[in-house]
Amino acid sequence: MEHWTEYTRFLTALMVILDPFAAIPIFLSLTQGYSQSQRARVVLVTIITVALVLISSAISGESLLKTFGTSLASFRVGGGIVLFIMALAMLRAQADKVKTSPTEEAAAENKATIAVVPLAIPLLAGPGSISTVIIEMHRSSATYHGALVILCILITCILLWIVLRLASPIGRALGPIGRNILNRLFGLILTAIAIEIIANGLRELFPSLA
């Protein structure tokens, strides 16, 4: 039971970090004037890109850390700080500058590329989600662990696809107030997750703290 709790926690954390409800207004703005089929294609390309980025990060994360001479403990602290910054922005119902910037959003005027930039990268598959999958990949040495992490990523992407495909009715139903409430709720959850990751990293770096 404890093992499954770990994966449900990771699945929840990843969904909170990706925060598709915060992406809805940006998605609707960038695809204004698109037909239903055109929007569906943008969503599909976005989800495929997110899945590829996160799975690639999970698989190659350890090699990248070794290449840059960074320990997993240091990466946990750094990744936790990134998540904490994101959480603060969500609690304040502000645009998250770690995920995307006005410059990147303005560059998305080229409608042919919006599915990849800025929707998939960095709005959804940004520093927070990438660091989370790399950290999770190293939480266990069990033979099935990597497969379950990838399965969680795929399930998250399916849920993300559903939310974005229903972006128009969800956006109308929630309204600005509803989106702000969800963002603050997600921000509170993400704050707890970020603190836990930072604490685990600090314990590894400074064993005396344990």
Side-chain angles (χ1 to χ4, degrees), residues 9-93:
R9 186 202 65 81
F10 169 60
L11 184 64
T12 302
L14 196 55
M15 195 66 186
V16 168
I17 293 165
L18 289 172
D19 194 6
F21 296 101
I24 285 177
I26 297 175
F27 170 75
L28 293 176
S29 174
L30 294 177
T31 58
Q32 188 173 6
Y34 276 35
S35 65
Q36 287 296 324
S37 61
Q38 288 173 324
R39 274 186 174 171
R41 178 174 174 78
V42 169
V43 171
L44 181 60
V45 174
T46 299
I47 299 306
I48 291 174
T49 304
V50 170
L52 289 176
V53 169
L54 295 184
I55 292 173
S56 299
S57 299
I59 294 173
S60 62
E62 185 176 7
S63 301
L64 287 175
L65 292 179
K66 289 180 179 178
T67 300
F68 292 107
T70 303
S71 68
L72 182 60
S74 299
F75 192 80
R76 279 190 172 128
V77 175
I81 292 173
V82 169
L83 294 183
F84 187 73
I85 294 172
M86 291 170 59
L88 288 180
M90 293 167 72
L91 285 170
R92 295 171 182 168

Side-chain angles (χ1 to χ4, degrees), residues 21-22 24-25 28 93 166-184:
F21 296 101
I24 285 177
L28 293 176
L166 298 174
S168 294
I170 289 175
R172 287 194 298 268
L174 289 177
I177 296 177
R179 289 196 299 270
N180 284 343
I181 292 173
L182 273 179
N183 274 341
R184 287 190 168 95

